């Protein structure tokens, strides 16, 4: 088992539903929680990350702010997603881990269904392989 | 999904604006207000007429003195009594609210507090900001609601107050510029909060 940020695995954010160029989607996988991607309004919001090759994923960790329910789908949008429920936090990041039991993934899609406020931010996504 | 072409230092924010109207207050003029606002600009031509009594208009508003734009999705919700269930489902969680009443009809102003409560229920704890609009300012002889009273109530609800005349096309942009600004400042507050977060 190894713990690494997506960036070191060559993983890229290939889609994001919002873009403020000061807080771009690349910030999700730069391994730094000081930088972030933020939504620019309305829900749902989503981002998709792609592995360079099929990868067995044990777990995925999301560090975020203001998110509520997030659905994580592996590879195909037709597969049922796994739901992550985020508790509200004040002045610090939400830290949530979802176990994916070694599922083989090329794409992971994160759909943030709603927020505790009008906007949400995602600071870091980390994967356990 | 939304795909954006960005200019340098240009931000595009998205917001829903909810404009409810009472069945009995169908003549307050909020539809003419949103249509004038919509057609007055030169930007997008996108117009849906939904079948269940909710109309969606989309409009971009540039925030003065910035390169930023707020794209407003204006939900015009009509026919409340007959189609209440269907309409309420389409409200979703509005980001902003624009309450319109008729300056010549006091009851339409009184009804605004009920609407504000309904909107708050839908927003599930989100801060509700927006505008209160007194329409038909051209009919000064028939005015029943004083500006000072309306303004005071608006402030108590966290809303900005505007008076318009959709008929004379006076001041119709102001309420929408105001909601766009409100949303823009919510966004900047959010960024400020997020920059100061500690790790989980």
């Amino acid at each position: 088992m190894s713990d690494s940020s997506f960036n070191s695995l060559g993983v890229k954010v290939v889609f994001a539903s919002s873009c403020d160029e000061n807080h771009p989607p690349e910030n999700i996988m730069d391994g730094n929680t000081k930088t972030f991607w933020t939504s620019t309004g309305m829900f749902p919001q989503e981002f998709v990350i792609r592995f360079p090759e099929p990868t067995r994923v044990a777990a995925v960790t999301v560090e975020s702010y203001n998110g509520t329910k997030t659905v994580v789908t592996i590879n195909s949008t037709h597969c049922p997603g796994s739901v992550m429920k985020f508790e509200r936090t004040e002045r610090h990041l939400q830290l949530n881990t979802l176990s994916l039991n070694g599922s083989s993934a090329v794409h992971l899609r994160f759909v943030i269904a709603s927020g505790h406020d009008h906007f949400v931010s995602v600071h870091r996504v980390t994967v356990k392989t | 999904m939304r795909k954006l072409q960005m200019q340098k230092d240009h931000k595009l924010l998205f917001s829903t604006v909810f404009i409810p109207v009472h069945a009995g207050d169908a003549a307050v003029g909020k539809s003419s207000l949103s249509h004038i606002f919509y057609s007055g600009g030169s930007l997008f031509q996108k117009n849906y007429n939904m079948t269940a009594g909710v109309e969606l208009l989309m409009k971009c508003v540039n925030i003065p003195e910035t390169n930023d734009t707020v794209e407003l999705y204006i939900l015009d919700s009509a026919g409340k009594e007959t189609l209440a269930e269907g309409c309420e489902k389409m409200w979703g969680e509005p980001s902003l609210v624009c309450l319109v009443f008729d300056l010549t009809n006091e009851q339409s102003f009184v009804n605004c507090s009920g609407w504000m409560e309904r909107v708050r229920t839908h927003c599930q704890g989100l801060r509700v900001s927006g505008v209160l609009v007194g329409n038909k300012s051209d009919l000064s002889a028939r005015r029943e609601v004083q500006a000072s009273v309306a303004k005071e109530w608006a402030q108590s609800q966290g809303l900005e107050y505007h008076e318009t005349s959709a008929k004379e096309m006076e001041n119709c942009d102001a309420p929408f510029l105001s909601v766009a600004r409100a949303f823009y400042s919510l966004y900047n507050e959010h960024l400020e909060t997020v920059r100061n977060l500690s790790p989980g």
Side-chain angles (χ1 to χ4, degrees):
Chain A
M1 297 282 270
S2 65
D3 200 3
S4 51
S5 78
F6 279 152
N7 208 22
S8 61
L9 294 173
V11 177
K12 288 194 164 72
V13 178
V14 290
F15 174 82
S17 56
S18 284
C19 184
D20 174 341
E21 68 167 17
N22 297 319
H23 305 284
E26 295 79 46
N27 287 352
I28 293 172
M29 45 162 214
D30 67 358
N32 181 355
T33 55
K34 283 283 170 199
T35 61
F36 56 89
W37 167 74
T38 179
S39 73
T40 55
M42 306 218 290
F43 290 99
Q45 290 285 332
E46 70 175 272
F47 60 94
V48 176
I49 54 166
R50 184 166 64 206
F51 294 81
E53 56 195 27
T55 305
R56 293 201 172 278
V57 181
V60 64
T61 298
V62 178
E63 285 164 88
S64 58
Y65 189 66
N66 275 342
T68 50
K69 193 178 93 173
T70 298
V71 180
V72 182
T73 320
I74 301 169
N75 300 335
S76 163
T77 53
H78 301 297
C79 298
S82 310
V83 177
M84 301 178 83
K85 286 221 163 111
F86 298 169
E87 294 294 322
R88 183 174 204 146
T89 57
E90 298 282 346
R91 289 189 288 279
H92 65 89
L93 290 175
Q94 299 165 313
L95 177 69
N96 290 279
T97 298
L98 176 72
S99 173
L100 293 174
N101 303 317
S103 306
S104 179
V106 177
H107 291 95
L108 284 181
R109 178 170 179 247
F110 299 77
V111 178
I112 306 168
S114 58
H116 291 295
D117 201 355
H118 302 286
F119 308 99
V120 292
S121 58
V122 179
H123 297 243
R124 181 166 64 180
V125 169
T126 325
V127 68
K128 224 173 212 177
T129 53
Chain B
M1 289 307 290
R2 307 181 276 272
K3 194 165 182 198
L4 308 180
Q5 286 291 323
M6 287 303 190
Q7 295 163 10
K8 189 150 175 49
D9 284 334
H10 181 92
K11 269 197 289 298
L12 187 54
L13 309 180
F14 299 92
S15 176
T16 43
V17 182
F18 177 59
I19 311 184
V21 71
H22 317 241
D25 298 338
V28 299
K30 57 85 226 173
S31 281
S32 45
L33 184 72
S34 53
H35 278 104
I36 286 168
F37 172 71
Y38 172 74
S39 59
S42 55
L43 285 162
F44 285 84
Q45 312 262 309
K46 196 156 81 179
N47 195 348
Y48 299 98
N49 274 303
M50 291 188 183
T51 50
V54 175
E55 188 174 13
L56 176 65
L57 302 169
M58 197 269 272
K59 174 91 179 184
C60 283
V61 178
N62 294 313
I63 303 297
E65 289 152 32
T66 71
N67 292 318
D68 302 333
T69 304
V70 175
E71 195 170 296
L72 299 175
Y73 289 79
I74 303 166
L75 282 167
D76 222 335
S77 178
K80 175 206 140 202
E81 298 305 331
T82 43
L83 293 157
E85 283 284 298
C87 285
E88 288 217 24
K89 279 181 187 135
M90 290 186 186
W91 292 6
E93 285 180 21
S95 314
L96 298 161
V97 63
C98 175
L99 287 177
V100 185
F101 71 96
D102 179 348
L103 285 164
T104 67
N105 175 349
E106 192 174 7
Q107 191 56 43
S108 71
F109 172 64
V110 171
N111 290 343
C112 285
S113 34
W115 275 101
M116 201 59 197
E117 261 168 52
R118 290 182 81 143
V119 170
R120 286 226 161 85
T121 317
H122 268 265
C123 289
Q124 299 180 345
L126 288 183
R127 276 174 304 167
V128 182
S129 57
V131 286
L132 175 70
V133 180
N135 194 29
K136 304 195 183 175
S137 60
D138 51 297
L139 301 174
S140 52
R142 287 167 48 195
R143 179 189 274 265
E144 288 182 8
V145 182
Q146 293 312 309
S148 57
V149 176
K151 195 170 183 175
E152 193 177 329
W153 183 78
Q155 280 174 351
S156 74
Q157 301 296 313
L159 304 175
E160 244 184 75
Y161 181 61
H162 292 275
E163 288 192 0
T164 56
S165 165
K167 183 166 161 267
E168 307 293 328
M169 292 204 182
E170 270 174 21
N171 209 24
C172 292
D173 279 357
F176 295 98
L177 179 59
S178 178
V179 289
R181 276 178 189 275
F183 194 70
Y184 189 67
S185 47
L186 286 174
Y187 183 71
N188 285 324
E189 275 173 42
H190 156 76
L191 288 182
E192 196 52 37
T193 310
V194 168
R195 283 192 194 105
N196 293 312
L197 292 173
S198 347

